[in-house]
Amino acid sequence: MLQYFRINDPYRLLGLLAIFLLIQLPLFIDSPSLTYPELKSLIIGEKVHEGNSLYTEVIDSVGPLAGWFNGLLHFCFGRSLLARHILAFFVLFFQASYLGIIFSNQKAFAERTYIPSLIYAIACCFSFDNLSLTPELLGAGALLPALNNLFKEIEFREQRSESIFNLGLFISIASLFTFSYSVFLIGAIITLAFFTRSTLRKYILLVVGFLLPHLLLLAMYYLKDGVSDLWQFFYIPNLSLYAVSYISNSSLWTLLSLPLSYLVISLVLMNREARLSKYQTQLVQATFFWTIFSFIQVVISKDFRPQNFITLIPGLSFFITHCLLILPRKRFASMAVWIFLCGTVMGSYLARYGVLDSVEYTDLNVSTESLTHTGKRLLVLDDFWNIYKDNHLASPFLNWHLAKDVFSQPEYYENVVKVYDGIKNDPPEIIRDKNDLMKPFMERLPELKRAYNRKGMYYIRSDVSM
């Protein structure tokens, strides 16, 4: 198999498509459980499709491009999880193919090869949730052309203004899917400082390329008087240290043990055996910096789960490919690829079906226990938002971490107005209020008090039959 992908022939990517499809086929036949990030994407897509504006009418810290894309997906596929998995499959395949083309065009290796595409596709299979069409996956796609432009800038013949501007632009686009990807701007600046003779003008051009999409976003919200909401619910939460962990550290290191072992071995062997040109050495060093910042991005991300490590895979593919090409015997290289393929895929499926006791997906998968309502428009005033799996969000208050400050401070007039407007414009049929946070708002808003009746931990709208 390794020899097949060593040949510089774009048609070899059809073979990659077949291999990748065989690996992922069981996930299409026996679809995995809905995960919390996927559920959040479904909810936001519904709200955006209904015409609600992000941040002003949907309170969450999701990136604007991710929210709008989810709205488009809901228009096309509704709540179909299978359709999203199929689309995610092709996104991953095109990312793997594009990465191989980048390394081939930039002459990153001693020979032109599509081995990086193969390694990328295999590495993406280390956990089933990598097949989720989430903002992290979409943003990672924008980082690949950014990496391509970084390589162009390092290559002396390609130092042009448009490449440095495009580098900042693509990092910015990625950050509008997942804001933590902004850290790659710092990585790009440091890399350019070490490996290029960039002038101050080029650094300014890089920053301008990054700021331009964000300035356009601010201008858009300024025109509809939503800058304060954009700042409060997008920028500030993403700049904070708050994060949600969906998987334990032990589970994550079990899943990543084989890919990271290959990465470490590759770095050691390259340091001892590789014979590279000056340009290729610079690419190696630049990719190492990029990989370091991939780890930093994982640390500062807002939710901790296996798919966050997708930004690490381009660097992993780069170094493993170098290692495979410098091995003196092709038989050893072929064995290494088969071990990597079988070990990664087997570990992923054993973990998914609960055979590996060291991997636990309980906090990642949406629980369906204790769901007493279906097909209703709900407002949930706590973290029990898996109830939205079979129901719909009413009112803007999706992210409880951001909304709880509003409901815990009814003495502020602006909070009372925000709650009233949110419920009035998009009235829920049922409000789950375990801690009775709505009581002081009901006292201040007689109209809502007449419309809802308290039953246990729920407020039920008067015209709703249970």
Side-chain angles (χ1 to χ4, degrees):
M1 181 170 61
L2 182 66
Q3 195 62 29
Y4 176 84
F5 287 100
R6 290 186 77 155
I7 300 174
N8 181 30
D9 179 9
Y11 287 102
R12 304 287 162 167
L13 295 175
L14 296 177
L16 176 66
L17 178 62
I19 293 172
F20 195 39
L21 179 60
L22 287 175
I23 295 173
Q24 301 286 9
L25 190 59
L27 296 181
F28 298 132
I29 298 174
D30 181 20
S31 295
S33 301
L34 178 70
T35 64
Y36 279 104
E38 287 179 318
L39 176 59
K40 180 179 175 180
S41 297
L42 293 177
I43 298 169
I44 292 175
E46 278 186 340
K47 297 298 289 183
V48 172
H49 180 250
E50 290 171 1
N52 296 283
S53 176
L54 291 170
Y55 317 120
T56 57
E57 295 172 306
V58 182
I59 295 179
D60 192 75
S61 58
V62 67
L65 291 183
W68 297 332
F69 187 77
N70 285 326
L72 177 62
L73 288 178
H74 185 79
F75 172 76
C76 297
F77 307 118
R79 280 200 168 197
S80 173
L81 202 59
L82 178 61
R84 284 170 167 79
H85 287 170
I86 293 174
L87 187 55
F89 169 85
F90 283 106
V91 170
L92 285 171
F93 169 71
F94 284 117
Q95 287 181 5
S97 303
Y98 182 58
L99 184 71
I101 293 171
I102 289 174
F103 290 148
S104 178
N105 290 342
Q106 298 302 324
K107 301 177 182 177
F109 308 111
E111 56 188 83
R112 293 177 180 267
T113 175
Y114 285 98
I115 295 176
S117 298
L118 173 65
I119 302 300
Y120 188 98
I122 296 173
C124 285
C125 300
F126 78 90
S127 178
F128 77 89
D129 73 309
N130 284 329
L131 201 62
S132 303
L133 197 62
T134 60
E136 285 74 16
L137 175 61
L138 299 170
L143 288 177
L144 293 181
L147 183 62
N148 184 35
N149 281 282
L150 180 62
F151 283 176
K152 286 182 178 180
E153 189 64 21
I154 291 174
E155 186 178 9
F156 180 77
R157 294 171 300 172
E158 293 289 338
Q159 287 188 356
R160 296 178 297 180
S161 296
E162 56 263 35
S163 63
I164 198 75
F165 177 83
N166 290 338
L167 172 59
L169 181 65
F170 282 114
I171 293 176
S172 182
I173 292 172
S175 72
L176 291 179
F177 281 103
T178 303
F179 191 79
S180 60
Y181 288 171
S182 300
V183 73
F184 287 100
L185 175 66
I186 301 174
I189 292 174
I190 294 175
T191 303
L192 292 173
F194 273 95
F195 305 114
T196 67
R197 299 176 181 176
S198 298
T199 61
L200 178 61
R201 172 182 171 275
K202 286 200 169 185
Y203 288 110
I204 294 175
L205 198 59
L206 172 65
V207 175
V208 168
F210 177 82
L211 291 178
L212 183 60
H214 288 273
L215 292 175
L216 290 175
L217 179 67
L218 288 167
M220 183 189 308
Y221 274 83
Y222 175 79
L223 293 176
K224 55 183 181 180
D225 196 26
V227 172
S228 61
D229 292 315
L230 175 67
W231 183 258
Q232 182 181 359
F233 298 124
F234 176 57
Y235 286 106
I236 291 180
N238 282 295
L239 290 171
S240 69
L241 298 178
Y242 175 81
V244 178
S245 179
Y246 290 111
I247 193 170
S248 66
N249 290 333
S250 59
S251 298
L252 192 60
W253 295 127
T254 300
L255 292 170
L256 289 168
S257 58
L258 184 61
L260 291 181
S261 297
Y262 266 71
L263 176 60
V264 172
I265 293 171
S266 298
L267 290 172
V268 172
L269 288 179
M270 283 185 61
N271 188 51
R272 295 176 54 185
E273 304 292 340
R275 299 293 184 268
L276 305 175
S277 65
K278 180 181 178 181
Y279 166 67
Q280 290 172 338
T281 300
Q282 288 180 324
L283 291 189
V284 168
Q285 294 168 337
T287 307
F288 181 77
F289 273 100
W290 190 269
T291 306
I292 292 296
F293 277 88
S294 298
F295 277 109
I296 296 174
Q297 181 273 319
V298 172
V299 172
I300 66 174
S301 61
K302 296 293 101 179
D303 49 8
F304 193 66
R305 65 184 194 276
Q307 196 184 40
N308 283 54
F309 283 80
I310 193 168
T311 55
L312 181 67
I313 297 180
L316 183 143
S317 304
F318 178 85
F319 291 114
I320 292 180
T321 300
H322 263 299
C323 177
L324 294 174
L325 292 176
I326 64 175
L327 286 176
R329 297 187 180 181
K330 295 181 180 179
R331 182 179 60 182
F332 290 159
S334 297
M335 288 175 57
V337 170
W338 279 109
I339 293 172
F340 185 63
L341 170 62
C342 297
T344 301
V345 175
M346 186 180 300
S348 174
Y349 280 105
L350 290 177
R352 184 209 161 182
Y353 288 107
V355 178
L356 290 180
D357 295 334
S358 57
V359 180
E360 182 58 63
Y361 283 120
T362 303
D363 294 335
L364 180 63
N365 294 326
V366 175
S367 171
T368 57
E369 297 178 2
S370 304
L371 297 185
T372 56
H373 309 287
T374 57
K376 302 294 184 182
R377 297 186 66 82
L378 303 179
L379 169 58
V380 179
L381 301 184
D382 55 49
D383 286 321
F384 189 75
W385 57 288
N386 53 318
I387 198 171
Y388 290 126
K389 180 178 184 293
D390 296 315
N391 297 281
H392 309 280
L393 171 67
S395 83
F397 307 106
L398 169 60
N399 189 322
W400 179 240
H401 175 69
L402 300 179
K404 66 182 178 182
D405 289 340
V406 175
F407 286 92
S408 62
Q409 297 175 338
E411 64 273 14
Y412 292 105
Y413 175 75
E414 57 268 25
N415 289 344
V416 176
V417 172
K418 189 179 288 289
V419 171
Y420 175 76
D421 289 342
I423 295 179
K424 182 68 175 178
N425 296 331
D426 189 6
E429 298 174 286
I430 301 171
I431 302 175
R432 175 187 161 95
D433 187 9
K434 182 174 63 174
N435 300 313
D436 205 9
L437 296 172
M438 281 297 297
K439 183 177 180 179
F441 291 95
M442 294 293 186
E443 297 299 329
R444 291 169 170 81
L445 300 167
E447 183 180 346
L448 294 185
K449 189 173 182 179
R450 290 192 300 268
Y452 290 89
N453 301 312
R454 177 86 176 178
K455 294 182 181 179
M457 70 171 67
Y458 298 99
Y459 280 96
I460 312 295
R461 206 170 68 198
S462 302
D463 61 344
V464 175
S465 58
M466 298 300 294

